[in-house]
Amino acid sequence: MKKTVVLLLFVMMGVSGISQTKSELLKHFEAYYNEMRLQGDINGVIGALTHLNVLAPSTERRDTLAFVYMNNGQHIQALNTIGIEKNANDSDLAVQIKAVSLKALNQPKRALEQFEELYKRETSPYVAYELADLKIQTGDVDGAVANIEYGIANATDDMQYAFYERQQPYEVPLKAAFYHLKGLADFNKDKSNIDGAIASIDEALKIAPNFNLASLSKQALESRKKENTGGN
């Protein structure tokens, strides 16, 4: 009987010790996480969140870790953290991470699925732009046009969209970005309607004269027009 009591005491002490150690580790990594955030050390933040998620797993910590990966351009790691499948129980943040990372990894069909889910939850011009862009890429021009029309009608003057095709990223008004997409959609819908496509892109350039991608698209369309008319 005494041996049994002694054994139980040791077990209880062991469990208490493990619990105390885990609690101390959580406090340590929470403090470490906060310090890494203050220092702007992304790798430190990722390490701290990984340890915290191992010690006390939660959807919020997992999503936050994936978000940090996404913001750091580590899209594969972000998707490895939260998966790529459509899940109705995903948080809005998780859906956004999947959508953005899949698009960045050149998976337009899978990205479109996630952006559609995001659009159901939040009908916004920014999400409409992503949908229109992906629909043009995947051949759904009519669907893209509907999103573009919504975007032009609802994008406000303070909304900006970033582009990265140049060495130095730049921003243009979101409405200008929609007019550029409209030109691409016009051309994809009717490749003989080059003038109509150029007219839409000119609208984009009126709003944002330094819109480099729109200028490149206009040049390409003008070259196509010259080829069609035999260079005259």
Side-chain angles (χ1 to χ4, degrees), residues 71-85:
N71 267 358
N72 201 39
Q74 295 174 270
H75 298 290
I76 292 174
Q77 290 85 343
L79 294 174
N80 283 342
T81 302
I82 60 171
I84 63 172
E85 300 302 324

Side-chain angles (χ1 to χ4, degrees), residues 43-59:
N43 289 330
V45 168
I46 289 170
L49 283 170
T50 301
H51 279 92
L52 286 168
N53 203 40
V54 169
L55 289 166
S58 74
T59 300

Side-chain angles (χ1 to χ4, degrees), residues 79-93:
L79 294 174
N80 283 342
T81 302
I82 60 171
I84 63 172
E85 300 302 324
K86 184 177 177 182
N87 186 342
N89 296 321
D90 276 343
S91 67
D92 291 350
L93 180 60

Side-chain angles (χ1 to χ4, degrees), residues 170-189:
Y170 64 97
E171 291 186 338
V172 303
L174 182 59
K175 188 166 286 190
F178 272 114
Y179 273 113
H180 173 244
L181 279 189
K182 185 176 186 304
L184 300 182
D186 290 341
F187 177 71
N188 278 276
K189 195 167 186 178

